Amino acid sequence: ETGVTQTPRHLVMGMTNKKSLKCEQHLGHNAMYWYKQSAKKPLELMFVYNFKEQTENNSVPSRFSPECPNSSHLFLHLHTLQPEDSALYLCASSQEGQGAAQPQHFGDGTRLSIL
Amino acid sequence: GQNIDQPTEMTATEGAIVQINCTYQTSGFNGLFWYQQHAGEAPTFLSYNVLDGLEEKGRFSSFLSRSKGYSYLLLKELQMKDSASYLCAVLDSNYQLIWGAGTKLIIKP
């Protein structure tokens, strides 16, 4: 079982669809993150959860809605996305949340394409 | 604003040595990370530097100069499997991670 698992690996959806991305970590970490990765651009932090509480929302449009039911699971609900939202969405976890200098462990990401 | 600069792409030969540079301008500094990301895969942690100097870990070494806002990742005895993107990220004074756009390293036989 890999440390951080993301499903699905690939997703193609229309602009009016509703879908969800799932992330699960098996490392016993307390913090989880959603990032957006676009080609040749730096990773963009979207949301941070620390002990299931959302501690960061970096001005992300409301068409992205995160959910963290427990410290091992993180979801990203998608609704009415735009073509510019096509990207690789990465989930990560760390032992503690922001405020600690610890490496983050990433999943392989979901490649999202908006038609 | 906060900024991380690293070359977009580099090419090196199998068996050789390559140095990937990263310069940063951030609000404070609480350490610098290097990650490796193979195409279609997760970024994986390589190194963390918070004090000046060179940290060696097998074929990979990472150097930091805080006064110059500069780091490099040194890869020795290059192997084909080292073809990947290398991401530099700095932890600022608020412990926010500021990411560079990554350096794509191409290894040729």
Side-chain angles (χ1 to χ4, degrees), chain B residues 34 45-48 54-62 74:
Chain B
W34 283 98
F45 168 72
L46 288 178
S47 65
Y48 170 71
L54 186 69
E55 298 261 351
E56 297 187 64
K57 199 183 286 186
R59 293 188 299 114
F60 292 11
S61 302
S62 56
L74 190 71

Side-chain angles (χ1 to χ4, degrees), chain A residues 91-112:
Chain A
C91 173
S93 69
S94 64
Q95 182 61 48
E96 295 176 32
Q98 298 195 192
Q102 294 180 334
Q104 294 178 13
H105 297 253
F106 287 84
D108 286 335
T110 295
R111 174 68 61 187
L112 177 64

Side-chain angles (χ1 to χ4, degrees), chain B residues 6-48:
Chain B
Q6 46 180 137
T8 303
E9 188 173 297
M10 299 181 70
T11 302
T13 305
E14 190 177 16
I17 299 174
V18 71
Q19 177 175 309
I20 303 174
N21 295 326
C22 171
T23 57
Y24 62 89
Q25 295 161 320
T26 56
S27 304
F29 180 84
N30 278 303
L32 185 146
F33 293 88
W34 283 98
Y35 284 82
Q36 179 191 60
Q37 185 178 22
H38 287 101
E41 297 184 13
T44 55
F45 168 72
L46 288 178
S47 65
Y48 170 71

Side-chain angles (χ1 to χ4, degrees), chain A residues 37-42 86-88 111, chain B residues 101:
Chain A
Q37 187 175 36
S38 303
K40 299 185 180 180
K41 289 185 177 179
S86 297
L88 181 69
R111 174 68 61 187

